[in-house]
Amino acid sequence: MCLSNPVRIRRQVRFLQRQFLQEGGLPFTNILSMEHISQALTDAEVTWKDRVYPPLVTLWVFLSQVLSQDHSCRGAVARLIAHRLAHGESECSALTGSYCRARRRLPERFFSAVACQVGRVLDSQVDPKWLWKGRRVYMFDGTTVTMADTPANQQAYPQIPTQRPGLGSPIARVGAILSLSCGSIVGLGVCRYAGKGQGEVSLLRKLWDILSPGDILLGDRLMANWANIAMLQQRGLDLVSRLNKANRKADFRKGERLGKDDHIVRWKKPPSIRAVDRATYQSLPDFITVRETRIHVLTRGFRTKSIIVVTTLLDPEQTTKEDLAFIYRQRWNNELDLRSIKSTMQMHDLRCRTPELVRKEIWTHVLAYNLIRTVMAQAASEHDIQPRTISFKGAMQTLEAFQPVIEFMVGRNAELRQELYEQLLKCIASHRVANRPDRFEPRKRKRRFKLYDFLDKPRNEAKLDMLKGVKEK
């Protein structure tokens, strides 16, 4: 790592820390530390020249880009120019070429290391009151993102096979492990949308080594297969999931009865498991012991009236049937978290034009998301509330509004700056998400879309037809 000007590097780190309340007497102020950033730069073997776009400045500009409603590179560079002029530095070029080249120079593993480090350190320091029965619960689910339609992106992440060439967008599958207590992303994987080994279960198996014995994994019905449960048990992990009725049926007349619609059964090892090699297959036990519980949903407006929960939490005294119903219902937070990063932070359509930059863009979104979750955890700790009761969008909007004022207070009265931090956390804590467990809405749209025809041929062909005066069909 280049340390030709350590004073400037420390100043850049402090600037990043101030932007996300990583200083003063607040809780969780060691999440984005100088040691973590230096280690990430060293591990990624980053070297640079001390010019306009060193790594930390590039990282800050990239963060401002993904957090802004305007995701353009031009807007990000304009914010850097304003920042330099406000601090008495010379202006830089308003063109975006230097910034884009600086992003390309930074290794992808630097972005991933910083993003995951922030999420894991935050999760490791949460208040014990935020845990479920004193245990850490993690959720896993997958989603998809689209990106710019370039030949490089199409080759790495091909569009859906049913779409005609030139009419679709490259699409990638993203799988994330999230903390239930604070909402941070502790692990993430990216792969193609379709193909062998490109599914959500395959992504999970690449990520679950980051979990520790005693942790609980909360997943959907895809996770509840024999091989997953067996390999999770070998790692000392418990699973709470929904029964995949496509593979197995529950018969509550069999097994060890614990109560009505609640029993312990043994699942026999399948004759073959395509997802594992023969050596791994031989190492797995002949049977696994699981608990199946039927839960009735009596709330009006819910589509499903009963579900069967599969878990390796076998003790009915430590984990009652009601406990299982409660914890499985918390899986809805997984959908809300993915919505926050995809819709609120606009990660659903990525702008970069090469696969490596696309992945860097994803990791920068994850880093920004985890830093916002850190500020939400600070607000929750200061005001003695649960982080899950705070609005993510409200926290993001409030932080964006306060960041220029925070930077304006640099070099001024430290007490006033600390009071500004406290007011920011007070505003964030006031944006509470009401407890609306029984709310339901019709799945229908009210606003009409503009009546434009769909593009049914490649854009260059459509433009040629327009030049020829041919009316599109």
Side-chain angles (χ1 to χ4, degrees):
M1 183 178 65
C2 173
L3 292 175
S4 60
N5 193 341
V7 175
R8 186 179 181 186
I9 292 174
R10 284 195 295 270
R11 185 169 69 246
Q12 293 167 2
V13 173
R14 286 197 296 269
F15 171 73
L16 274 175
Q17 291 173 333
R18 284 194 302 271
Q19 292 289 292
F20 297 96
L21 279 66
Q22 291 290 292
E23 65 173 6
L26 301 173
F28 306 106
T29 53
N30 61 340
I31 303 299
L32 191 65
S33 66
M34 178 71 180
E35 292 75 17
H36 293 154
I37 295 177
S38 299
Q39 188 63 43
L41 289 169
T42 303
D43 293 343
E45 300 178 353
V46 179
T47 58
W48 70 89
K49 296 180 180 179
D50 201 7
R51 294 180 179 174
V52 175
Y53 290 102
L56 298 185
V57 173
T58 305
L59 179 62
W60 170 70
V61 177
F62 210 167
L63 280 171
S64 72
Q65 183 179 358
V66 301
L67 285 173
S68 173
Q69 292 296 314
D70 174 22
H71 277 19
S72 67
C73 294
R74 183 167 55 187
V77 173
R79 284 186 287 273
L80 174 62
I81 295 174
H83 169 76
R84 290 175 64 90
L85 293 176
H87 286 77
E89 299 179 9
S90 62
E91 62 176 304
C92 61
S93 173
L95 301 179
T96 61
S98 298
Y99 166 57
C100 294
R101 288 191 292 271
R103 291 191 307 179
R104 284 197 297 268
R105 285 194 299 268
L106 273 179
E108 179 186 341
R109 58 183 180 273
F110 167 69
F111 291 92
S112 61
V114 176
C116 289
Q117 184 70 26
V118 169
R120 293 170 189 173
V121 174
L122 172 60
D123 175 67
S124 67
Q125 298 181 9
V126 297
D127 192 321
K129 295 185 297 184
W130 300 348
L131 303 179
W132 183 73
K133 292 182 174 291
R135 299 183 65 177
R136 299 185 184 278
V137 180
Y138 297 93
M139 306 172 293
F140 176 82
D141 203 356
T143 185
T144 59
V145 293
T146 58
M147 60 201 74
D149 189 7
T150 63
N153 287 342
Q154 284 283 9
Q155 183 177 3
Y157 303 106
Q159 65 186 44
I160 298 174
T162 56
Q163 292 178 327
R164 291 173 55 191
L167 300 184
S169 297
I171 183 170
R173 188 185 304 277
V174 178
I177 296 181
L178 298 103
S179 169
L180 178 63
S181 59
C182 63
S184 66
I185 295 178
V186 299
L188 182 133
V190 184
C191 66
R192 294 187 175 196
Y193 175 74
K196 185 177 181 180
Q198 308 297 313
E200 292 181 12
V201 176
S202 299
L203 278 177
L204 172 63
R205 291 174 181 174
K206 295 176 182 177
L207 297 173
W208 63 22
D209 286 338
I210 65 176
L211 304 180
S212 303
D215 294 339
I216 299 174
L217 181 64
L218 185 59
D220 59 16
R221 68 184 76 193
L222 285 177
M223 309 299 115
N225 62 63
W226 193 96
N228 273 355
I229 297 175
M231 289 189 282
L232 285 170
Q233 286 182 322
Q234 286 183 339
R235 288 165 171 77
L237 304 172
D238 285 308
L239 174 72
V240 178
S241 182
R242 186 175 174 181
L243 181 68
N244 190 344
K245 294 183 179 180
N247 298 331
R248 193 177 298 271
K249 306 294 182 184
D251 187 352
F252 289 96
R253 298 171 297 179
K254 300 178 180 179
E256 178 186 349
R257 190 173 187 273
L258 303 178
K260 184 178 179 181
D261 294 338
D262 190 8
H263 69 165
I264 295 176
V265 293
R266 300 177 72 194
W267 288 3
K268 186 178 179 180
K269 181 163 67 172
S272 63
I273 303 175
R274 293 186 300 173
V276 301
D277 55 33
R278 185 161 186 81
T280 304
Y281 178 84
Q282 296 288 351
S283 67
L284 297 175
D286 294 331
F287 294 90
I288 59 172
T289 303
V290 299
R291 180 180 177 186
E292 298 174 342
T293 302
R294 177 182 283 120
I295 298 171
H296 296 279
V297 181
L298 305 178
T299 306
R300 293 183 178 181
F302 281 53
R303 294 174 298 170
T304 305
K305 298 305 178 184
S306 68
I307 59 175
I308 297 176
V309 174
V310 176
T311 181
T312 53
L313 301 171
L314 306 180
D315 192 336
E317 295 183 358
Q318 293 184 357
T319 309
T320 65
K321 187 176 179 179
E322 290 73 21
D323 291 334
L324 290 176
F326 172 81
I327 191 63
Y328 184 76
R329 191 170 189 177
Q330 299 306 301
R331 202 190 73 80
W332 181 245
N333 287 292
N334 201 351
E335 307 294 338
L336 300 180
D337 294 342
L338 291 177
R339 184 186 69 178
S340 294
I341 194 170
K342 280 190 63 177
S343 298
T344 305
M345 297 183 64
Q346 302 179 30
M347 198 186 76
H348 45 75
D349 293 317
L350 302 172
R351 304 173 66 92
C352 291
R353 304 181 66 81
T354 63
E356 185 180 8
L357 274 175
V358 163
R359 292 190 294 270
K360 292 178 185 178
E361 189 176 358
I362 292 174
W363 282 116
T364 308
H365 276 89
V366 172
L367 174 59
Y369 171 86
N370 282 340
L371 289 171
I372 293 172
R373 284 291 181 187
T374 300
V375 178
M376 293 170 64
Q378 290 175 320
S381 179
E382 287 287 287
H383 295 271
D384 196 23
I385 57 179
Q386 292 283 334
R388 287 289 179 185
T389 64
I390 298 177
S391 166
F392 180 87
K393 187 170 185 178
M396 178 178 170
Q397 292 169 333
T398 306
L399 180 63
E400 183 180 8
F402 269 75
Q403 280 178 337
V405 185
I406 292 173
E407 190 57 23
F408 177 76
M409 295 296 295
V410 175
R412 291 170 172 80
N413 193 317
E415 294 182 359
L416 291 178
R417 191 164 68 250
Q418 187 68 24
E419 183 179 351
L420 178 65
Y421 290 157
E422 293 174 357
Q423 288 296 323
L424 169 59
L425 296 181
K426 181 180 178 181
C427 291
I428 290 176
S430 67
H431 296 299
R432 305 289 296 277
V433 178
N435 183 22
R436 299 169 291 182
D438 300 331
R439 185 186 68 166
F440 62 93
E441 296 288 344
R443 292 196 168 195
K444 297 181 180 180
R445 295 180 180 270
K446 180 179 180 181
R447 294 185 181 274
R448 271 59 175 174
F449 292 102
K450 295 181 179 179
L451 299 179
Y452 290 117
D453 293 334
F454 287 105
L455 190 67
D456 58 358
K457 60 181 66 176
R459 188 173 297 276
N460 59 336
E461 295 182 13
K463 293 172 71 174
L464 287 175
D465 289 343
M466 294 175 65
L467 290 174
K468 295 176 183 178
V470 177
K471 183 179 180 181
E472 295 184 350
K473 298 180 180 180

